Amino acid sequence: MGLPRRTLRTTSISSLSAALVAGAAFGLAPAQAGAAPATQSTAAADVRFVDIPGDGGTVLKGNVFTPAGAEDGQRFPAIVLPTSWAVPQIEYVAQAQKLADSGYVVVSYNSRGFWQSGGNIEVAGAPDIADASRVIDWTLANTPTDPDKVGMAGVSYGAGISLLAAAHDKRVKAVGAMSGWADLIESIYSGRTQHVQAAGLLTGAGFLTGRPSPELQQVMKDFLGSNLAKEQEMLAWGRKRSPATYIDRLNANKPAVMLANAWGDTIFPPNQYAKFFEQLSGPKRLEFRPGDHATAEATGLLGLPNDVWTNTQRWFDHHLKGEDNGIDREQPVQLKSRSTGGYEGYADWKSVGAATERIPLNDSEHVFANIDSGANGGVVLLSNALDQFLKLPPTASIPLLPRSFAAVWQSERHDSVRQVRGTTKLHTTVTSTKPSGTLVAYLYDVGPLGVGKLVSNAPYTFHDKTPGQAFGVDLELFSTAYDVPAGHKLALVIDTVDPLYIEHNPTGAQLTFSSPAADPSFVSVPLREK
């Protein structure tokens, strides 16, 4: 094509990408390479470091991998990879090399506002969506790309931008969205509660590695400062940046969408992905695995064997290349339990946890707010990564939890394994001494010694309630797949403070949880059908 070409050895690419595991998995990026590294010729795919004009002419730093030996007039399917939040343009080099060696043109670019790309951080706003289309324009004009075979993929921020781009640009025929979001509000404001560690981590990483827009700075100030006067404005801001808002456009365009996430993702919890998956009407696939945000994909960024990346390439091979690799004949929902190593296939999300166990919450419980009982969801990124690699979820001694600050209900001891699959639902009646408050519900697997291993949790915040007047609460805990051993119990614990979340309990607040005869309280635990 008469364009200058540079090549890298595969070993150089693997070394380069080795620095990125922490960045992809933990939302922080290593130092940006100031210039293109020294290059050496091999039979591997060619790579060029380029400037791509984004929306309004904003310069986006990128790199392009082209299959080795491409001849004039030859056309290849292309995959566009927007980078993750706070991670530089070299994030995907190992996977880009693999994809190019398999016959793809791969264009990766640094999202606007980060590192050497121009502009400000817009959090997948209109400029970011327009950038994706401008990158596709550039790819078609400057690489041997087949215009009818364009896909997009990414991890985290790149996943969200890819989904949004597919809703707005019909040229995107397939998407691989790994550890992303479909509903930004349900991700960091579920249960009307700020996920403070997640939001704080993203905000801090944004300031360290990029240039947050004035709008973003104000939104995060209002969000972390609990400015309820701006709540509706913040919700509108989040909806504009949520792929679920544009589900009609996605279903009209019908890109083939693969969604992959981790059960313990503390930035983008799995529930919102599952709901989004059910709304898609085109070709689709949903995968959930143990881990936290981007930890399931992290080893793939080193070029190591990785199920998420392997299936993502299979998805593109089928939907862009037309390969008959069988992925379209597999069950579209693929789950891996946190307790076992195998995959389970389901026809749809509704089939996950089709059976249920209903545990009555008969006893009335009274707790004082503002004190952490010792039950909590762990630490963002760290705790669920330990669960993924070492099967060490957050724990609590259920008998020792102070009953003044924690409400506790337990099931009978189970005589067989309980395979929890899907979304646990809590229904209860709450009476507060104050108009506002926060509660956090936890489901524990309790062993013979009373040690509870965290199965799931979720927060719930209320405002403008009449003190002393009971009201109902329906809360979905974060979806999961966990096997409770025979001889163990399930315990539901509710307290009012968790370091993962901002709590809204006024000083001296007290909460009572009751179970009226006309509206009994319960927790419904989804189980895998035998």
Side-chain angles (χ1 to χ4, degrees), residues 175-396:
V175 175
M178 297 166 271
S179 289
W181 77 94
D183 188 324
L184 193 57
I185 298 166
E186 282 298 306
S187 294
I188 61 173
Y189 195 50
S190 70
R192 208 179 176 187
T193 309
Q194 299 100 318
H195 297 208
V196 63
Q197 288 189 15
L201 179 66
L202 293 173
T203 302
F207 274 99
L208 283 173
T209 62
R211 298 167 299 282
S213 68
E215 181 185 31
L216 172 58
Q217 293 183 48
Q218 185 61 51
V219 166
M220 295 315 297
K221 179 181 178 181
D222 292 334
F223 182 77
L224 294 173
S226 302
N227 186 355
L228 289 178
K230 294 294 185 70
E231 183 179 33
Q232 293 307 311
E233 293 180 29
M234 289 186 283
L235 293 177
W237 180 88
R239 290 190 189 100
K240 290 179 182 178
R241 290 157 170 80
S242 297
T245 300
Y246 310 100
I247 189 67
D248 290 343
R249 293 187 186 184
L250 277 164
N251 287 337
N253 293 345
K254 284 189 166 35
V257 176
M258 174 179 156
L259 307 170
N261 203 357
W263 293 120
D265 194 321
T266 44
I267 296 179
F268 303 131
N271 302 45
Q272 43 94 32
Y273 245 20
K275 293 175 184 176
F276 179 66
F277 171 82
E278 287 291 272
Q279 294 177 299
L280 290 169
S281 62
K284 59 185 179 179
R285 182 179 175 95
L286 176 66
E287 299 183 355
F288 284 137
R289 299 174 176 83
D292 206 308
H293 185 65
T295 61
E297 302 90 347
T299 56
L301 296 176
L302 297 174
L304 300 175
N306 181 278
D307 288 355
V308 188
W309 283 101
T310 295
N311 287 343
T312 299
Q313 182 169 341
R314 292 176 63 221
W315 189 250
F316 286 129
D317 286 347
H318 178 74
H319 291 285
L320 295 182
K321 288 185 177 181
E323 291 186 4
D324 184 12
N325 56 18
I327 197 166
D328 58 316
R329 294 187 294 276
E330 296 173 0
Q331 295 277 47
V333 176
Q334 295 287 322
L335 311 181
K336 179 183 280 190
S337 169
R338 292 160 50 197
S339 307
T340 60
Y343 284 93
E344 303 165 4
Y346 298 85
D348 50 36
W349 179 250
K350 294 188 294 292
S351 300
V352 177
T356 59
E357 177 178 354
R358 183 161 161 158
I359 302 172
L361 310 179
N362 292 328
D363 298 331
S364 179
E365 297 283 347
H366 182 86
V367 300
F368 294 89
N370 309 117
I371 300 294
D372 189 344
S373 70
N376 65 68
V379 178
V380 66
L381 299 177
L382 176 61
S383 297
N384 291 319
L386 290 174
D387 183 37
Q388 174 187 358
F389 295 111
L390 301 176
K391 289 186 169 50
L392 294 175
T395 60

Side-chain angles (χ1 to χ4, degrees), residues 2-310:
L3 299 173
R5 288 154 63 158
R6 293 179 177 175
T7 59
L8 288 175
R9 291 189 186 275
T10 302
T11 52
S12 298
I13 289 171
S14 296
S15 298
L16 197 66
S17 61
L20 296 171
V21 170
F26 302 111
L28 299 174
Q32 166 78 25
T39 61
Q40 302 179 50
S41 296
T42 77
D46 293 344
V47 61
R48 294 179 288 128
F49 289 81
V50 297
D51 290 348
I52 302 175
D55 184 50
T58 297
V59 174
L60 306 174
K61 295 292 182 177
N63 53 65
V64 183
F65 285 75
T66 307
E71 300 177 357
D72 288 344
Q74 190 174 9
R75 290 290 180 263
F76 301 92
I79 298 175
V80 175
L81 301 168
T83 55
S84 301
W85 184 271
V87 182
Q89 59 164 306
I90 57 175
E91 176 181 11
Y92 300 115
V93 288
Q95 288 300 323
Q97 173 76 67
K98 287 186 173 184
L99 288 165
D101 288 345
S102 299
Y104 291 93
V105 170
V106 184
V107 179
S108 174
Y109 69 95
N110 224 122
S111 303
R112 70 165 49 222
F114 287 107
W115 296 99
Q116 294 177 340
S117 284
N120 293 322
I121 302 171
E122 303 290 348
V123 194
D128 294 293
I129 299 171
D131 281 347
S133 289
R134 299 294 79 77
V135 172
I136 293 173
D137 292 342
W138 185 93
T139 300
L140 295 177
N142 294 275
T143 70
T145 291
D146 183 335
D148 295 324
K149 297 180 179 179
V150 176
M152 290 191 68
V155 175
S156 186
Y157 196 45
I161 291 175
S162 295
L163 288 170
L164 288 163
H168 290 82
D169 194 323
K170 294 180 179 180
R171 294 175 296 180
V172 180
K173 304 301 184 184
V175 175
M178 297 166 271
S179 289
W181 77 94
D183 188 324
L184 193 57
I185 298 166
E186 282 298 306
S187 294
I188 61 173
Y189 195 50
S190 70
R192 208 179 176 187
T193 309
Q194 299 100 318
H195 297 208
V196 63
Q197 288 189 15
L201 179 66
L202 293 173
T203 302
F207 274 99
L208 283 173
T209 62
R211 298 167 299 282
S213 68
E215 181 185 31
L216 172 58
Q217 293 183 48
Q218 185 61 51
V219 166
M220 295 315 297
K221 179 181 178 181
D222 292 334
F223 182 77
L224 294 173
S226 302
N227 186 355
L228 289 178
K230 294 294 185 70
E231 183 179 33
Q232 293 307 311
E233 293 180 29
M234 289 186 283
L235 293 177
W237 180 88
R239 290 190 189 100
K240 290 179 182 178
R241 290 157 170 80
S242 297
T245 300
Y246 310 100
I247 189 67
D248 290 343
R249 293 187 186 184
L250 277 164
N251 287 337
N253 293 345
K254 284 189 166 35
V257 176
M258 174 179 156
L259 307 170
N261 203 357
W263 293 120
D265 194 321
T266 44
I267 296 179
F268 303 131
N271 302 45
Q272 43 94 32
Y273 245 20
K275 293 175 184 176
F276 179 66
F277 171 82
E278 287 291 272
Q279 294 177 299
L280 290 169
S281 62
K284 59 185 179 179
R285 182 179 175 95
L286 176 66
E287 299 183 355
F288 284 137
R289 299 174 176 83
D292 206 308
H293 185 65
T295 61
E297 302 90 347
T299 56
L301 296 176
L302 297 174
L304 300 175
N306 181 278
D307 288 355
V308 188
W309 283 101
T310 295

